[in-house]
Amino acid sequence: MEIKSYQTQAEDFVEHYLLADPYLPYTSVLAGICLSKLVYDLTELFSSIHIKSYSALTKIKRIEWNNRGISTVHAIFISFMALYLVFFSDLFSDQRSLESLTVFRTSPLSNFGLGVSVGYFLADLGMIFWLYPSLGGSEYIFHHCLSGTAVAYSLFSGEAQLYTYMVLISEVTTPEINLRWYLDIAGLKRSKAYLINGIAIFFAWLTARILLFIYMFYHVYMHYDQVVQMHTFGYLLVFVVPIALSVMNLMWFGKIVKGLKKTLEKTQ
């Protein structure tokens, strides 16, 4: 009877507090931070047992190795969430335009996904500041601050979640980028896996960070009558953040093309 009572209390706590609409943004952010710590520890544990080269790395390289495990898991999670909500769910469908404006639509699921992402950005920023500049320089801080601010605003205001998730689809490139780093650390720069990885990065980046951004700007243009009804700060974020990220994406894409070209030349 006592076990049943505790179970009922736990279920009530989860339903009425953790997953209740007023508390969901905060609990999801906390979940994102806790999950980041959990993934870090699991990556460290798994790597130390199953990957021989891990123990030979310097302390800072092991920290970066574990940290990239966090970003990989977050990228997989938020990419699937974003792809589902943008292209497969009817949450942001124009067929529901009579129900409510697209730029103001939210759901518990969309809020949860954004909250977890905010938690990840906070955790990762903390790591970057703590070990600056070992885990990334000023461009990483700028990227995380810009992205984290936009995601947090969208979460707590309920505005432009569609466009936030469109931008977050770009995280689909993160696992490939991290895999390239792992292959490099493992001394496999001349392997076929490294070449295939470079080609995958090229097409994923072109699709998710170039073409998809063009589609997003087109969507904003077609729904501008709704965008102008947002608060001023949200309105500015819809334009400033994607434009700034687009410039960074194009700069990084140029480096990707040069790197892929060098890799192809070495294999010939």
Side-chain angles (χ1 to χ4, degrees):
M1 290 294 291
E2 288 186 13
I3 295 176
K4 185 67 175 178
S5 176
Y6 283 125
Q7 181 180 353
T8 301
Q9 292 179 29
E11 290 175 351
D12 289 341
F13 176 74
V14 170
E15 180 179 356
H16 295 104
Y17 291 94
L18 294 184
L19 297 182
D21 286 343
Y23 304 104
L24 183 58
Y26 305 99
T27 55
S28 58
V29 171
L30 181 61
I33 295 173
C34 293
L35 287 173
S36 295
K37 171 60 176 171
L38 176 63
V39 173
Y40 183 95
D41 291 340
L42 290 177
T43 302
E44 182 179 30
L45 178 63
F46 177 86
S47 301
S48 61
I49 296 174
H50 297 286
I51 299 177
K52 296 179 180 179
S53 59
Y54 178 80
S55 58
L57 298 175
T58 62
K59 181 180 178 181
I60 192 62
K61 286 297 183 184
R62 290 198 300 271
I63 291 174
E64 185 172 0
W65 180 293
N66 302 334
N67 195 57
R68 285 180 181 272
I70 300 174
S71 65
T72 299
V73 171
H74 166 261
I76 293 172
F77 165 78
I78 203 62
S79 295
F80 275 109
M81 186 77 75
L83 287 168
Y84 168 72
L85 290 171
V86 172
F87 295 112
F88 299 100
S89 170
D90 66 345
L91 177 61
F92 304 115
S93 173
D94 284 336
Q95 295 178 358
R96 294 179 53 184
S97 58
L98 296 177
E99 227 173 275
S100 62
L101 296 181
T102 305
V103 295
F104 296 119
R105 289 188 204 152
T106 66
S107 72
L109 180 62
S110 67
N111 286 332
F112 176 77
L114 294 180
V116 170
S117 197
V118 171
Y120 158 74
F121 281 120
L122 289 174
D124 203 41
L125 265 176
M127 291 284 290
I128 292 174
F129 280 122
W130 177 40
L131 297 167
Y132 186 83
S134 300
L135 295 182
S138 57
E139 70 276 10
Y140 283 89
I141 294 176
F142 177 75
H143 173 274
H144 275 33
C145 287
L146 198 64
S147 301
T149 299
V151 175
Y153 178 82
S154 187
L155 168 65
F156 291 105
S157 70
E159 294 184 353
Q161 289 198 0
L162 169 61
Y163 300 129
T164 303
Y165 272 110
M166 282 187 179
V167 172
L168 285 172
I169 291 176
S170 62
E171 284 293 311
V172 75
T173 61
T174 299
E176 294 92 333
I177 297 294
N178 286 341
L179 177 59
R180 194 167 190 80
W181 184 88
Y182 287 130
L183 291 171
D184 190 4
I185 289 294
L188 298 173
K189 289 189 71 171
R190 294 185 178 276
S191 66
K192 185 176 291 186
Y194 196 80
L195 174 61
I196 294 173
N197 173 262
I199 296 172
I201 290 174
F202 172 82
F203 284 107
W205 200 281
L206 177 63
T207 303
R209 291 184 180 261
I210 306 296
L211 298 179
L212 185 61
F213 272 65
I214 294 173
Y215 171 74
M216 195 208 74
F217 288 127
Y218 170 75
H219 195 282
V220 170
Y221 171 76
M222 295 300 295
H223 296 77
Y224 186 75
D225 59 321
Q226 298 185 27
V227 175
V228 295
Q229 298 185 47
M230 296 169 53
H231 290 92
T232 304
F233 187 68
Y235 174 85
L236 291 174
L237 285 178
V238 167
F239 291 96
V240 172
V241 173
I243 290 174
L245 292 179
S246 294
V247 172
M248 297 175 70
N249 288 339
L250 288 171
M251 293 172 59
W252 285 330
F253 188 61
K255 295 180 180 180
I256 290 170
V257 171
K258 289 181 180 178
L260 180 59
K261 185 179 179 181
K262 287 182 180 179
T263 303
L264 289 171
E265 288 174 349
K266 289 179 181 179
T267 59
Q268 293 177 354

